[in-house]
Amino acid sequence: MEARYHIQNFTDGSATESHWGYADRIVPCTNDAGSCEYLDVVYHSHDLGMLYSGILWSAIIGGLLLWGIIHRSHTSNRTTRTINTFIRKRLLPDIKFGFGRYFFGRTTRLQVLVLACLTVYLTIFSFVGIRYKIWKTPVKNYPNLHNTRSSIGPFADRVGILAYALTPLSILLGSRESLLSLVTGVPYQQFNFLHRWLGHIILLQSIVHTIFWSIVEIKLYQPQPSTAKSWITQTYMIWGVVAMILLLLLWGLSLEWSRRKFGYEFFRKAHYVLAMLYIGACWGHWEKLKCFMIPSLVLWLLDRSIRFIRTFLIHYKILTNGKGLFETIQAEIKHCDDEDVIRMEFDNPNQLDFEIGQHFYISFTDAKRGVWQSHPFTPLSLPGDKHGYLIRAKKGETRRIMGLDKSTTPIILTGPYGVDTMRDIGNEDNVLCVAGGTGITFVLPVLLHLSKYGLTQGRMIELIWVVRHQRDTRWIEDELEELRKDGNIKITIRVTREITVPASTTGTGTSTPTAGSVSSKNLDGLQKNQEDGNGAMLSVSYEKELYSECPCNPPVYTSSSSSSTTPQLLDRSQGKSGKIVDAEKAIEEGIEPHHRPDLRKAVKEFVGRTINGPTVVYVSGPGGMISDVRDEVALCNDAGRVWDGEERAEVRLIYDDRLE
């Protein structure tokens, strides 16, 4: 670290002055007046940078402690409920202004507000407390040359300090074994937004730090090029270059293009390794700021170690001879009537405890690379019961599992992760569950728990499940049948890629399409008679509110001549009677529109029908579904009415957007 001593006089100084995180200063200063004044600015700016970093971390730790106390206090009075309702109304909706959606994606105003506050703090205190001036100082043994010393050196150091200070926070925000979730009760995946943007900020700070010091050492300090060569070959600078390269790799591989190109698993493993190497390179670059690198390394190792230990405890078996064995779990595979979804089941290992809403990471080990990959899945079963999962194959390992020609596969289980989604559910809370596709696994255990323990009486409970095809209901047909026995639970199933005919109607008004039901749909919603697959006549009617769009030239659905239960579309748009076109393909090509339900309207109507008590909305599915429900939940909150004692105006949201 001798590079930072290069303008100080070691022989004439009588003492050293310690500065936390920086090289000791030789006092008194015996250099020329300009150099001594410049050193005053450098050291004062550095000391303030350490102070501002301390203030930042004090605010973060204090805020987390306060959040944790409130989270565990279970305080629920009119004042706190009014405040929470007001915050929900203002900060829960998606950010939409200007290019907000383009830059931030589908995220809440609260998350963007936290990011904005952090950015404003860092911007202000990157500049505050630095004296901005230029000094011309002589160069020893070169009477015709001079050094140009300016405040960009202290500014570059300040930015570097803040980048180091943010590194532990970045590790915290990106950890699966999240201490933040433990304190706040917020699922770890909801911190990913801040983790990504903190990475952008650290990269920008590092680039500024690198460029400015390069200007100083390559241009402003003389003589050249000898000064630049001497500077870049020093050990601390070599480590600085390594750290910058690793940071650029970390950032580049985290971009959406890179994740699509190389795959999520490669990104995740590379991210872990590069992060550890980056922390070590930063330590080598400036060892005196190890006060930030040590916590970063500890948090990284803690995350990996806890994950390994939890997996080990699930799979380690004690044999009768007293020896131990690590063994995989044999999971049963059931292929559904669908080309890309399977149901996987296995017995609960070692009475593994988890809470409703939590999920596990599963590795499929019967392939060479399977043991190195893991995927998050939410159990659709209740804690203590046989584990059940729905797996939608996309590509890679999940697609390979879909193609297995056997009934079982070995797996490794890690978890559970996430938070208890029923922790704060009161006895009078009304419950609306909204799910898209396999997102049903997030909300189904909530309904099963309420029904199993007799907690449905006296409150409104409804499930709205949006699926592509009516055959998708077979994924969880046993669980649906169990819920239908509870007359207090209303089940509504919306099909988006078929026009289906309800073959039976439950006492609660629930439509349950069957595989053999096919129909024609007209614009007037008139009742028509049609044969089912067995030749019997069905009297069917069409509920207009089930569909958000209606084609100008109504299609006719008829059963296929093959054994497939997928309805087919009779194409009449080209005047060719009798031409059969695949219904889903027709939707994708624009011949027939999607029939997506208006979920915002559904949420509003549900809250409007409640008689008393607050409402809790659960939602899981694609990003668009999450955004629609989140925005409407925010609108349904009214702090003034809650203050006046009207509990119906309090609507909470619990969501899981890991399907996006």
Side-chain angles (χ1 to χ4, degrees):
M1 304 306 167
E2 65 277 9
R4 290 296 183 264
Y5 288 107
H6 68 291
I7 66 171
Q8 299 190 71
N9 192 319
F10 294 91
T11 58
D12 295 341
S14 58
T16 59
E17 185 179 81
S18 297
H19 291 263
W20 186 28
Y22 208 58
D24 292 343
R25 185 177 181 183
I26 308 300
V27 292
C29 178
T30 58
N31 292 61
D32 59 273
S35 295
C36 290
E37 187 177 351
Y38 171 71
L39 285 173
D40 290 339
V41 173
V42 167
Y43 278 91
H44 180 66
S45 171
H46 172 84
D47 292 342
L48 287 179
M50 297 299 291
L51 175 64
Y52 299 151
S53 298
I55 293 173
L56 175 62
W57 270 104
S58 297
I60 293 172
I61 294 173
L64 289 174
L65 289 176
L66 179 61
W67 193 342
I69 292 172
I70 295 174
H71 172 63
R72 285 169 171 74
S73 64
H74 298 283
T75 302
S76 181
N77 52 48
R78 189 171 65 170
T79 301
T80 58
R81 297 176 80 159
T82 300
I83 293 173
N84 290 335
T85 302
F86 177 82
I87 293 174
R88 227 175 274 126
K89 177 88 170 183
R90 302 299 178 185
L91 300 181
L92 182 60
D94 276 16
I95 193 76
K96 296 186 181 71
F97 64 85
F99 293 98
R101 175 63 61 81
Y102 175 79
F103 283 108
F104 301 120
R106 299 184 185 277
T107 190
T108 65
R109 295 176 185 174
L110 176 60
Q111 290 174 306
V112 176
L113 177 62
V114 173
L115 175 64
C117 292
L118 179 62
T119 303
V120 169
Y121 182 92
L122 294 172
T123 301
I124 292 175
F125 291 102
S126 292
F127 295 93
V128 170
I130 301 175
R131 182 184 177 189
Y132 296 94
K133 185 178 178 180
I134 296 176
W135 297 267
K136 302 290 186 180
T137 61
V139 180
K140 188 176 182 180
N141 301 324
Y142 293 90
N144 297 326
L145 298 176
H146 66 271
N147 287 319
T148 301
R149 308 195 187 278
S150 69
S151 300
I152 68 171
F155 170 74
D157 279 345
R158 171 74 62 79
V159 171
I161 292 170
L162 294 175
Y164 269 61
L166 292 175
T167 303
L169 180 59
S170 179
I171 301 294
L172 269 177
L173 292 170
S175 297
R176 190 190 301 174
E177 307 289 345
S178 179
L179 294 176
L180 296 179
S181 294
L182 187 64
V183 173
T184 64
V186 177
Y188 72 91
Q189 62 267 23
Q190 294 186 20
F191 294 114
N192 285 339
F193 168 77
L194 291 175
H195 173 71
R196 288 194 302 269
W197 276 93
L198 203 61
H200 298 327
I201 292 173
I202 292 174
L203 176 69
L204 179 61
Q205 291 172 322
S206 301
I207 290 174
V208 170
H209 176 82
T210 301
I211 291 176
F212 276 27
W213 268 115
S214 295
I215 292 173
V216 170
E217 296 286 354
I218 296 174
K219 177 65 176 177
L220 302 183
Y221 285 180
Q222 300 296 325
Q224 293 296 346
S226 58
T227 299
K229 290 181 179 179
S230 175
W231 168 69
I232 198 65
T233 55
Q234 295 177 84
T235 302
Y236 91 99
M237 269 311 302
I238 293 173
W239 279 115
V241 171
V242 171
M244 193 69 227
I245 293 173
L246 291 170
L247 183 58
L248 287 170
L249 285 173
L250 272 168
W251 180 81
L253 290 175
S254 66
L255 297 178
E256 185 177 354
W257 177 89
S258 299
R259 296 201 303 270
R260 288 200 307 266
K261 179 70 174 178
F262 301 107
Y264 178 77
E265 285 300 324
F266 174 81
F267 150 74
R268 196 164 64 90
K269 295 295 189 294
H271 214 64
Y272 292 147
V273 175
L274 290 173
M276 181 183 64
L277 295 176
Y278 168 73
I279 292 170
C282 287
W283 193 326
H285 175 59
W286 199 246
E287 181 267 344
K288 292 185 179 298
L289 286 178
K290 63 184 178 183
C291 55
F292 298 122
M293 294 300 104
I294 291 177
S296 300
L297 192 59
V298 168
L299 289 171
W300 186 92
L301 291 172
L302 191 64
D303 177 74
R304 304 304 300 169
S305 300
I306 293 177
R307 194 175 309 178
F308 175 81
I309 292 172
R310 293 174 75 171
T311 303
F312 180 82
L313 291 176
I314 292 174
H315 292 271
Y316 188 74
K317 312 289 183 181
I318 302 296
L319 304 180
T320 55
N321 59 7
K323 296 182 179 180
L325 174 69
F326 185 92
E327 66 177 14
T328 58
I329 298 171
Q330 288 296 321
E332 300 175 5
I333 298 176
K334 177 183 178 182
H335 291 266
C336 304
D337 292 331
D338 193 290
E339 62 181 9
D340 62 352
V341 174
I342 61 173
R343 177 162 174 161
M344 185 175 69
E345 295 181 338
F346 54 87
D347 292 330
N348 193 36
N350 295 331
Q351 298 301 314
L352 177 64
D353 293 327
F354 67 94
E355 304 294 342
I356 292 176
Q358 292 186 310
H359 59 274
F360 292 86
Y361 276 77
I362 298 177
S363 299
F364 303 97
T365 62
D366 58 350
K368 292 182 178 179
R369 60 180 182 176
V371 71
W372 302 108
Q373 300 186 17
S374 59
H375 304 267
F377 299 104
T378 303
L380 58 84
S381 51
L382 291 175
D385 294 345
K386 188 174 184 178
H387 282 233
Y389 298 87
L390 293 179
I391 300 176
R392 183 180 294 279
K394 295 183 178 180
K395 57 182 181 179
E397 286 303 296
T398 53
R399 175 59 63 181
R400 187 189 60 77
I401 293 298
M402 175 65 66
L404 288 178
D405 187 20
K406 55 182 181 179
S407 60
T408 62
T409 185
I411 64 168
I412 293 178
L413 198 67
T414 304
Y417 298 104
V419 298
D420 181 4
T421 57
M422 297 197 68
R423 176 181 179 272
D424 297 322
I425 299 298
N427 294 329
E428 297 182 354
D429 289 342
N430 302 292
V431 178
L432 172 63
C433 294
V434 182
T438 55
I440 188 67
T441 60
F442 182 74
V443 303
L444 184 61
V446 175
L447 300 173
L448 291 173
H449 175 83
L450 294 174
S451 179
K452 180 178 180 180
Y453 294 102
L455 302 175
T456 61
Q457 189 70 33
R459 61 172 114 201
M460 281 184 54
I461 302 177
E462 182 175 353
L463 166 65
I464 300 176
W465 187 19
V466 183
V467 294
R468 295 178 180 178
H469 308 285
Q470 45 97 357
R471 66 176 182 265
D472 296 344
T473 58
R474 293 182 174 178
W475 300 343
I476 56 167
E477 55 186 353
D478 292 340
E479 288 79 10
L480 284 178
E481 188 62 31
E482 187 68 27
L483 292 178
R484 290 191 186 102
K485 296 177 183 177
D486 192 327
N488 298 311
I489 299 178
K490 179 182 178 182
I491 302 173
T492 303
I493 298 175
R494 304 293 178 91
V495 180
T496 63
R497 295 200 176 189
E498 296 171 4
I499 299 181
T500 56
V501 179
S504 63
T505 303
T506 67
T508 59
T510 301
S511 297
T512 310
T514 62
S517 61
V518 291
S519 70
S520 62
K521 174 182 182 293
N522 59 23
L523 290 174
D524 300 323
L526 298 177
Q527 182 170 327
K528 301 188 70 173
N529 292 329
Q530 179 120 359
E531 286 188 356
D532 67 5
N534 299 320
M537 296 300 295
L538 294 174
S539 178
V540 299
S541 60
Y542 305 97
E543 300 178 50
K544 188 175 181 180
E545 67 272 14
L546 287 180
Y547 307 103
S548 59
E549 302 177 44
C550 187
C552 295
N553 187 15
V556 176
Y557 283 91
T558 180
S559 59
S560 171
S561 59
S562 67
S563 60
S564 172
T565 60
T566 304
Q568 302 292 310
L569 175 65
L570 179 62
D571 186 4
R572 299 188 300 192
S573 61
Q574 301 178 9
K576 297 180 180 179
S577 177
K579 181 180 179 181
I580 302 299
V581 182
D582 179 78
E584 184 165 348
K585 183 178 180 181
I587 289 173
E588 293 174 352
E589 293 177 353
I591 300 174
E592 164 70 10
H594 287 268
H595 304 297
R596 297 190 179 97
D598 188 343
L599 294 176
R600 297 194 61 161
K601 180 181 177 182
V603 173
K604 183 178 180 180
E605 289 181 348
F606 179 88
V607 175
R609 293 196 309 268
T610 59
I611 299 174
N612 54 50
T615 296
V616 180
V617 179
Y618 290 84
V619 60
S620 177
M625 176 181 288
I626 300 289
S627 296
D628 287 347
V629 174
R630 188 159 51 199
D631 289 351
E632 190 58 39
V633 166
L635 286 176
C636 290
N637 280 274
D638 190 324
R641 290 164 58 193
V642 172
W643 178 256
D644 292 336
E646 188 177 349
E647 294 181 338
R648 296 171 63 244
E650 180 186 2
V651 185
R652 306 198 305 275
L653 177 69
I654 300 174
Y655 66 96
D656 178 36
D657 56 358
R658 290 179 299 109
L659 296 182
E660 178 78 338

